[in-house]
Amino acid sequence: MIIIDYKDTRPIYEQIVEKFKTLILKGALQPDEQMPSVRSLAMELSINPNTIQKAYTELERQGFIYTVKGRGNFVSGNELLLAERKEDCLKQILVLVKEAMEYGIGREEILAEIAKGEEGE
């Protein structure tokens, strides 16, 4: 489920945050599903529980999870989060398309590359 890359320059808690965000946005973790406990995930990953707690705090701050006192952490509903992520992706695509056009890559060439990418899936 979560694999830590010790060659990655990002802190471990940031890697955990990114992995859980991906799992939530892709639907692998459903809304209101309970997250692994801090202690069990720390043991599974062989890292300090404070690192897991820091990741969970960041996920909660960003709206991906919520805490129920005495019960644990749960996945938030992800429709709004997914909509925000899609909007961010579209903005990034527009920036890349503008840059491509500045380098002389035309609309047809861009669309052809997109079609090739879709065929490769």
Side-chain angles (χ1 to χ4, degrees):
M1 188 173 191
I2 302 288
I3 298 172
I4 304 300
D5 180 4
Y6 292 101
K7 293 178 184 172
D8 193 328
T9 58
R10 294 177 299 161
I12 292 172
Y13 86 94
E14 284 183 11
Q15 292 181 49
I16 294 168
V17 167
E18 286 304 312
K19 301 267 175 45
F20 273 120
K21 283 168 60 172
T22 300
L23 290 170
I24 291 168
L25 290 172
K26 288 185 175 181
L29 294 173
Q30 296 297 312
D32 300 318
E33 182 177 336
Q34 188 165 12
M35 299 283 287
S37 74
V38 170
R39 186 174 293 150
S40 69
L41 189 57
M43 286 178 57
E44 181 182 323
L45 298 176
S46 299
I47 59 176
N48 190 314
N50 293 336
T51 304
I52 303 298
Q53 186 58 53
K54 188 172 183 179
Y56 279 12
T57 299
E58 182 61 21
L59 285 165
E60 186 170 12
R61 189 188 69 73
Q62 293 182 20
F64 285 87
I65 65 173
Y66 63 93
T67 302
V68 176
K69 281 272 192 225
R71 298 215 39 236
N73 298 291
F74 297 84
V75 176
S76 297
N78 61 359
E79 280 96 35
L80 181 61
L81 297 169
L82 186 56
E84 289 174 3
R85 184 67 183 127
K86 284 181 180 180
E87 188 176 320
D88 288 344
C89 284
L90 289 173
K91 285 179 184 176
Q92 290 176 20
I93 289 169
L94 287 175
V95 168
L96 288 173
V97 167
K98 286 178 184 177
E99 185 178 342
M101 290 181 154
E102 288 173 3
Y103 290 120
I105 301 171
R107 167 180 253 151
E108 295 77 24
E109 193 174 351
I110 292 170
L111 292 174
E113 287 299 315
I114 291 171
K116 275 192 225 175
E118 289 175 346
E119 291 170 5
E121 288 182 3

